[in-house]
Amino acid sequence: MDETEWIHRHPKAEDLRVGLISWAGTYLTFEACKNTVTATAKSLGRRQTWEILVSNEHETQAVVRLKSVQGLYLLCECDGTVCYGRPRTSHHGCFLLRFHRNSKWTLQCLISGRYLESNGKDVFCTSRVLSAYHMWTPRPALHVHVILYSPIHRCYARADPTMGRIWVDAAVPCLEECGFLLHFRDGCYHLETSTHHFLSHVDRLFSQPSSQTAFHMQVRPGGLVALCDGEGGMLYPQGTHLLLGMGCNPVRGEEWFILQHCPTWVSLRSKTGRFISVIYDGEVRAASERLNPMSLFQFECDSESPTVQLRSANGYYLSQRRHRAVMADGHPLESDTFFQMHWNCGRIILQSCRGRFLGIAPNSLLMANAILPGPNEEFGILFANRSFLVLRGRYGYVGSSSGHDLIQCNQDQPDRIHLLPCQPGIYHFQAQGGSFWSITSFGTFCPWGKFALNFCIELHGSNLLTVLAPNGFYMRADQSGTLLADSEDITRECIWEF
């Protein structure tokens, strides 16, 4: 299968979303209760998130509309006021977006020719003379755990901690080394590897973020980004081994990467402890005692539906075929590749579109035989490409704060939650300092526990999960900013993006 098929041909809506930061460091914000647009927020949240809809794009500019997560558009009126609503004409709400060398954007109203600007509080569109007040810094709004795909070389970036380098040579993004954390600090970005080292200007990894690991980011609609040092140097793959390094002479657009959310890869184990693996012309068996590349599956799931598709490292999807056998030879639009998922204490049960449940036959083949599920139809599921979680809910990221003793759920910068597998679906949560998550009698969390507690994780989307806490309640985001475990049912505040 062609390697390019691992990247989404049509970007997801989340890949087109950005926050726009004014010259004063505040975010363009839609005020739902007042039908106005301001620039007072200090962090990137739902009301500061805009989807960039492109109608015409060139190398240095594009004609765009800005759409809020509520589905309404940024509008510039004749008197220069800025609000949001629905466009009245074909050009109402259209802006000429220009990309500047300093990584900034300017937005010029297509009808009036005036530039979108802010005084650090209010937003208006009155001036036709370009100045620094009209400059906006785009910040990608997707989850900070990302992968970088080079469309020129058709490969993914991969960190090599043993050599302290990053190579752009991974055909399939199934390894943990392909995932990076994108930290935004003081207008710059720091790229952290899965082993918690940072890419630097001098082509090696640093153990701590510094000025040498700070990059400016040029952003284009559709998830295209380029990292530079602000002095003419660009990051791009170099040499025959495609080492990601700083240089001044990229060719054919080598400096551009597609930035996407890090995909979820899992392994499945039968009740005998053997891994479900793809062998011999797409046959699927519970035959391997050790994890290998053909035991990895990309977990693709629509959050609106309880069905999942499992994509093997060979590029094909698991699919029910003749005689109820499950083969790794399916294509994404085939109905036989969709399986309904049921959860039982962190273990997953898969039901084919024909109603039968997947289990292991006596000859170790994966089959859709059972009318009712039993222990043979339950599979242990473990994350295969991440040893930590970064959780984002309705109000922000989960993390600790210097002003609070308890773990918060409204942070602009996340904490890493290290995962210590206990049994399939059950993990211990370890804080960054090495201590464990503890839970209070009020259902709140502290990051300095001495003893490991059991947290049950269940997947509800390609990058969505729920957490059943040790007290028997689901973990949820509270509007106050405090992380709580007090929900008996799964509500939208219990769904976490990871």
Side-chain angles (χ1 to χ4, degrees), residues 54 57-62 64 97-106 138 218-221 256:
V54 181
E57 185 174 4
H58 300 283
E59 186 175 343
T60 59
Q61 63 187 35
V64 302
L97 168 60
R98 286 193 177 93
F99 313 118
H100 297 267
R101 289 187 176 181
N102 59 0
S103 303
K104 309 287 186 183
W105 285 4
T106 55
Q218 295 183 15
V219 181
R220 298 292 184 269
W256 292 103

Side-chain angles (χ1 to χ4, degrees), residues 4 15 27 42 48 67 83 100 117 129 179 231 306 310 344 353 356 392 420 436 464 471 487 494:
T4 57
D15 301 325
Y27 287 81
K42 297 290 187 180
Q48 292 77 40
K67 182 181 178 182
C83 61
H100 297 267
E117 65 177 300
V129 180
E231 299 177 356
L310 294 171
N344 183 21
C353 64
R356 300 273 179 162
R392 182 166 72 171
L420 303 180
F436 294 97
L464 301 173
N471 64 355
S487 181
C494 300

Side-chain angles (χ1 to χ4, degrees), residues 123-297:
V123 177
F124 40 90
C125 204
T126 57
S127 176
R128 290 188 175 90
V129 180
L130 187 62
S131 73
Y133 297 104
H134 304 125
M135 296 290 175
W136 298 87
T137 301
R139 177 185 175 185
L142 80 166
H143 191 280
V144 298
H145 200 175
V146 299
I147 54 174
L148 293 167
Y149 175 75
S150 170
I152 295 295
H153 297 288
R154 297 162 64 181
C155 286
Y156 296 85
R158 173 188 61 88
D160 184 351
T162 59
M163 298 187 66
R165 298 287 190 270
I166 294 178
W167 314 95
V168 185
D169 62 358
V172 181
C174 60
L175 300 176
E176 184 173 11
E177 290 81 5
C178 294
F180 299 89
L181 291 180
L182 196 62
H183 298 281
F184 182 73
R185 297 176 182 173
D186 301 323
C188 292
Y189 293 85
H190 302 261
L191 199 64
E192 181 183 0
T193 71
S194 60
T195 57
H196 314 309
H197 293 83
F198 294 84
L199 179 65
S200 73
H201 298 175
V202 292
D203 303 345
R204 63 186 178 90
L205 301 179
F206 284 14
S207 59
Q208 297 293 330
S210 68
S211 59
Q212 285 292 298
T213 67
F215 294 90
H216 298 278
M217 180 183 286
Q218 295 183 15
V219 181
R220 298 292 184 269
L224 276 175
V225 301
L227 293 168
C228 56
D229 62 3
E231 299 177 356
M234 305 289 295
L235 273 179
Y236 58 94
Q238 301 178 34
T240 56
H241 297 291
L242 300 179
L243 170 68
L244 185 62
M246 190 72 69
C248 298
N249 299 302
V251 296
R252 299 183 297 124
E254 283 183 309
E255 72 274 24
W256 292 103
F257 291 86
I258 296 176
L259 187 70
Q260 288 196 328
H261 199 153
C262 184
T264 303
W265 286 77
V266 299
S267 62
L268 299 171
R269 300 183 80 168
S270 68
K271 69 174 184 178
T272 62
R274 293 180 180 270
F275 289 101
I276 308 301
S277 304
V278 179
I279 57 173
Y280 311 126
D281 298 325
E283 278 191 352
V284 185
R285 293 179 177 267
S288 176
E289 295 183 352
R290 293 186 178 183
L291 192 65
N292 63 69
M294 297 311 294
S295 308
L296 305 181
F297 299 92

Side-chain angles (χ1 to χ4, degrees), residues 38-59:
T38 64
T40 57
K42 297 290 187 180
S43 60
L44 178 58
R46 286 176 58 82
R47 292 189 296 115
Q48 292 77 40
T49 300
W50 301 89
E51 184 177 342
I52 308 298
L53 303 179
V54 181
S55 60
N56 194 357
E57 185 174 4
H58 300 283
E59 186 175 343

Side-chain angles (χ1 to χ4, degrees), residues 407 436-440 444-451 453 455:
I407 295 175
F436 294 97
W437 274 36
S438 64
I439 187 169
T440 71
T444 55
F445 296 93
C446 299
W448 52 71
K450 294 182 180 179
F451 304 103
L453 302 177
F455 292 83

Side-chain angles (χ1 to χ4, degrees), residues 291-406:
L291 192 65
N292 63 69
M294 297 311 294
S295 308
L296 305 181
F297 299 92
Q298 186 172 338
F299 194 94
E300 298 183 12
C301 178
D302 182 358
S303 61
E304 304 299 323
S305 170
T307 58
V308 64
Q309 290 178 293
L310 294 171
R311 191 180 193 185
S312 169
N314 69 1
Y316 293 95
Y317 291 81
L318 297 194
S319 176
Q320 183 188 345
R321 296 308 189 195
R322 293 180 181 178
H323 309 297
R324 301 173 187 164
V326 175
M327 303 288 289
D329 62 358
H331 297 277
L333 298 181
E334 285 188 79
S335 61
D336 288 341
T337 66
F338 289 85
F339 299 91
Q340 191 165 5
M341 57 182 177
H342 310 271
W343 290 96
N344 183 21
C345 299
R347 292 180 175 270
I348 193 170
I349 301 168
L350 297 170
Q351 185 178 15
S352 75
C353 64
R354 302 175 193 178
R356 300 273 179 162
F357 292 89
L358 272 61
I360 305 302
N363 60 359
S364 81
L365 279 174
L366 184 63
M367 305 282 290
N369 274 331
I371 299 175
L372 294 174
N376 193 50
E377 284 71 44
E378 289 186 357
F379 298 97
I381 183 168
L382 288 170
F383 291 118
N385 69 328
R386 61 192 73 212
S387 58
F388 62 89
L389 290 179
V390 171
L391 298 181
R392 182 166 72 171
R394 278 188 67 79
Y395 309 112
Y397 287 100
V398 171
S400 54
S401 170
S402 57
H404 299 86
D405 293 331
L406 302 174

